[in-house]
Amino acid sequence: MSSDAESERVFKALSSPTRRRILDEIKDRPLTTGDLCARFPGLDRCTVMQHLRVLEAADLVIPRREGRERWNHLNALPIKHIHDRWIGPYAARATDMLDRLKADLEA
């Protein structure tokens, strides 16, 4: 990530269960906004669009217009950057600790 502000936008976007579900829905293939609205019957179109705007601001969703349809594509790079910066190093440390514990128990 190139800035703290970008990281904050990604963390904010990922903090919402609804936005995480939207990302899950477009993980394997892009969906139109109408398709997404149909998958969230408890939300009106305006609310789905608000969630998509937050995801766009975090660069997690890239919209593409094709005629009258708006296709929402997942951009997983910001999530990878979060992983590389935060999760990977912490997981590596935890794995090292487990390896040492295992070695101590087997000794």
Side-chain angles (χ1 to χ4, degrees), residues 3-61:
S3 77
D4 287 339
E6 290 173 359
S7 293
E8 286 297 317
R9 283 191 295 271
V10 174
F11 279 118
K12 177 186 174 188
L14 294 175
S15 71
S16 165
T18 300
R19 290 191 286 269
R20 291 192 305 267
R21 282 186 51 217
I22 289 172
L23 294 177
D24 285 341
E25 292 294 332
I26 63 172
K27 178 178 59 176
D28 296 325
R29 68 193 176 297
L31 293 172
T32 66
T33 301
D35 290 336
L36 283 171
C37 289
R39 291 169 190 243
F40 293 88
L43 302 176
D44 61 32
R45 186 178 184 84
C46 183
T47 302
V48 172
M49 289 297 298
Q50 287 174 336
H51 284 295
L52 285 170
R53 280 192 287 276
V54 173
L55 291 168
E56 286 176 51
D59 199 29
L60 291 165
V61 169

